[in-house]
Amino acid sequence: ARVGKPAHELLSAELGGMAVGSPAEAAEGANVIIPMLSDSAALLQAAEGPLGFLSRVKSDCVVIDCSTVDPPTTLRTNEQ
């Protein structure tokens, strides 16, 4: 049985972060978003739809995609 909070939550809180329920919540008010995901499917899941970060990204937000994805996926997320 786990005692206390998971290590990633403790580290996040120590560095001034907080846990959120979705990529959209994480993007709320952000000036910069840097996704680093393992493949195209993971990026699209995090970026698109009502819970994706693109649904709440500000017009002047800078998105620096460091994911391992194919060029069509990069273009798809850039066009949204």
Side-chain angles (χ1 to χ4, degrees), residues 5-6 13 21 36-37 40 52 56 59 61 67 79:
K5 292 185 177 183
M36 292 181 222
L37 298 160
S40 295
R56 298 216 194 140
S59 63
C61 180
S67 301
E79 293 170 354

Side-chain angles (χ1 to χ4, degrees), residues 12-35:
S12 177
E14 184 177 316
L15 297 173
M18 63 182 191
V20 295
S22 70
E25 287 182 60
E28 190 79 37
N31 294 319
V32 178
I33 298 172
I34 307 174

Side-chain angles (χ1 to χ4, degrees), residues 4 6-9 15 18 21 23-24 26 28 31-32 52-53 55 58 63 68 70 72 74-76 79:
H8 69 277
E9 286 185 24
L15 297 173
M18 63 182 191
E28 190 79 37
N31 294 319
V32 178
F53 65 80
S55 70
K58 300 185 320 181
V63 178
T68 305
D70 55 38
T74 299
L75 293 173
R76 178 174 164 175
E79 293 170 354

